[in-house]
Amino acid sequence: MKITATQSFVLQVPIGSTIADSMQTVTHLEFAGLTVDTDAGIQGTGYTMTVGAGGRVIQTAIDTLLADALIGKDPHNVREIWQQLYFGKAHWIGRAGATTMAQSAVDIALWDIVAKAAGRPLWQVLGGGREADIPIYNTHAGWLNYSASQLVDEAQALLDQGYTALKMKVGKPDAREDRARVAAVRKAVGEGVLLMVDANQKWDLMHACAAASLLEEFELGWLEEPLHPDDIRSHRVLNEHTAIPIALGEHVYTTQAFRDYIEQGAVDLIQVDVCRVGGITPWLEVAAMANAFNIRVCPHAGDLMQVHQHLVKVIPNHWLLEVIPIWERGPFRHQIELRDGKCISPSVPGASTDFTAEAFDRYRTS
Ligand code: MG
């Protein structure tokens, strides 16, 4: 099989509401990626996601740094292609950021082709794994722009839908307000529900230590992204200070950075994102490395879990899949399927990354 053509795209998809964390306010999700055609008539799709800006930069990286090198290659050699692209034109200006996100899209598209060619869902092509449906947690009830009473109502609604694990945002200017909001939700959902908090990098070390102390009594599943994602040392200091497990990974771009976090005892739970770390190829490497250190993986929803729902099925150290069910009917041809607090195992051949033709007509901006 040979790659014959590529076509990059940017889709701007409104989410129909306004949601916020401590870093940003979001009204649109942007999907930047590409389709890859082959002489076998199989087309793959790969994308990465932004919260509404930067997609054109990623598209330009795909078009000017990566796409040419794909023509004529056999997509089955996806791991070798990853190495060639990584050490190719993008290396001088990249290794993290938009170029790595562009490479994520390419790598996902190639694995999508490999799985479609095999006539199998991606998780089976990657060696298979647990047949059981996947345990999940929901982030969509806990936005920072919600009032405390809205947080309680949304959390209650999710419990009614069968969820047993929720995440809420923290990062208000006064840590005591965060404490009051977490207290209200913990009281409403009870002790049996797994509750996590996410600061989205908002804090410095002093604030993080103080906030963690205030939150410790609520028996949180984890504290996510408390600090700047490049500051491994401060995460280690915080981890020594607090009993709350530290989770991160959605803004970590390299296997080497994950290694340093783990090796320095600065993280307890890895949230590696297939859309940011360079694709499926390095994602599997990071997950395997975490497993060697007896650390769980709960990926970040950078792909809205279209790809991750496959990947978590093949690793032994998976715990919970994040879900943010923004749309009743989203832009994907085979949208992730949720039922009774679980993700139904995908069965369609491929990586579940194809968009509908209608989504392309309606939302394509570039
Ligand atoms: Mg997060």
Side-chain angles (χ1 to χ4, degrees):
M1 193 193 294
K2 295 272 182 286
I3 293 169
T4 53
T6 66
Q7 177 72 58
S8 63
F9 60 81
V10 177
L11 308 182
Q12 280 262 356
V13 187
I15 62 172
S17 61
T18 301
I19 56 177
D21 58 33
S22 72
M23 190 195 294
Q24 63 243 323
T25 297
V26 179
T27 58
H28 288 69
L29 295 181
E30 191 175 58
F31 299 98
L34 75 165
T35 55
V36 176
D37 289 297
T38 63
D39 60 4
I42 296 171
Q43 185 183 70
T45 305
Y47 64 88
T48 184
M49 193 254 281
T50 85
V51 290
R56 287 289 299 276
V57 177
I58 294 164
Q59 182 183 32
T60 300
I62 292 171
D63 288 342
T64 60
L65 301 172
L66 305 174
D68 285 357
L70 295 174
I71 304 300
K73 295 239 162 56
D74 183 341
H76 288 101
N77 298 327
V78 54
R79 290 175 189 274
E80 173 65 12
I81 294 170
W82 193 94
Q83 292 291 331
Q84 290 168 350
L85 294 180
Y86 185 78
F87 291 104
K89 286 185 198 170
H91 203 70
W92 186 269
I93 63 158
R95 304 193 307 283
T99 55
T100 312
M101 295 175 83
Q103 186 158 4
S104 298
V106 171
D107 188 73
I108 292 166
L110 300 189
W111 278 107
D112 184 38
I113 293 170
V114 171
K116 284 172 176 168
R120 297 265 178 190
L122 176 67
W123 64 275
Q124 285 192 322
V125 172
L126 293 173
R130 288 170 290 184
E131 291 283 347
D133 293 333
I134 307 155
I136 59 180
Y137 78 90
N138 194 312
T139 300
H140 203 33
W143 300 109
L144 202 61
N145 56 329
Y146 288 179
S147 68
S149 67
Q150 197 178 355
L151 286 174
V152 167
D153 291 347
E154 297 280 344
Q156 200 63 61
L158 288 184
L159 297 197
D160 293 344
Q161 290 171 39
Y163 285 95
T164 57
L166 314 175
K167 188 167 81 188
M168 62 181 287
K169 300 294 182 176
V170 291
K172 292 287 189 185
D174 186 337
R176 288 169 300 185
E177 187 180 356
D178 284 328
R179 185 191 175 283
R181 290 160 61 85
V182 174
V185 172
R186 172 52 88 197
K187 184 160 178 256
V189 301
E191 283 180 3
V193 168
L194 190 60
L195 181 63
M196 285 73 78
V197 296
D198 185 357
N200 292 93
Q201 310 172 25
K202 178 75 171 178
W203 297 332
D204 65 11
L205 183 55
M206 191 169 174
H207 189 114
C209 288
S213 294
L214 286 175
L215 295 172
E216 231 155 52
E217 66 179 284
F218 302 111
E219 294 187 37
L220 300 170
W222 68 69
L223 168 57
E224 179 171 325
E225 282 206 308
L227 300 156
H228 189 286
D230 292 334
D231 189 354
I232 299 176
R233 179 196 170 274
S234 292
H235 281 89
R236 178 177 55 74
V237 173
L238 176 63
N239 210 11
E240 286 168 0
H241 170 86
T242 182
I244 308 174
I246 302 297
L248 58 86
E250 66 183 82
H251 282 268
V252 177
Y253 288 93
T254 65
T255 307
Q256 292 86 349
F258 278 109
R259 176 201 62 200
D260 292 348
Y261 261 110
I262 293 170
E263 198 267 330
Q264 293 179 40
V267 66
D268 298 304
L269 188 129
I270 292 290
Q271 297 175 305
V272 55
D273 186 334
V274 73
C275 287
R276 188 168 305 260
V277 77
I280 292 162
T281 300
W283 191 98
L284 293 168
E285 199 177 313
V286 171
M289 179 171 61
N291 190 47
F293 283 87
N294 205 0
I295 289 177
R296 296 180 186 183
V297 170
C298 295
H300 170 248
D303 64 328
L304 293 182
M305 293 315 184
Q306 293 296 124
V307 182
H308 286 124
Q309 63 177 328
H310 294 267
L311 302 184
V312 297
K313 286 179 76 67
V314 306
I315 62 169
N317 48 334
H318 174 246
W319 184 20
L320 294 165
L321 192 69
E322 178 175 26
V323 297
I324 310 178
I326 288 167
W327 300 291
E328 186 78 31
R329 190 67 230 123
F332 301 107
R333 194 175 291 167
H334 303 289
Q335 184 171 296
I336 182 174
E337 212 182 316
L338 308 175
R339 202 180 305 145
D340 301 327
K342 291 251 168 83
C343 168
I344 308 302
S345 295
S347 57
V348 175
S352 308
T353 45
D354 287 329
F355 293 89
T356 63
E358 189 201 350
F360 262 83
D361 286 347
R362 227 165 134 191
Y363 302 125
R364 190 166 186 179
T365 56
S366 180

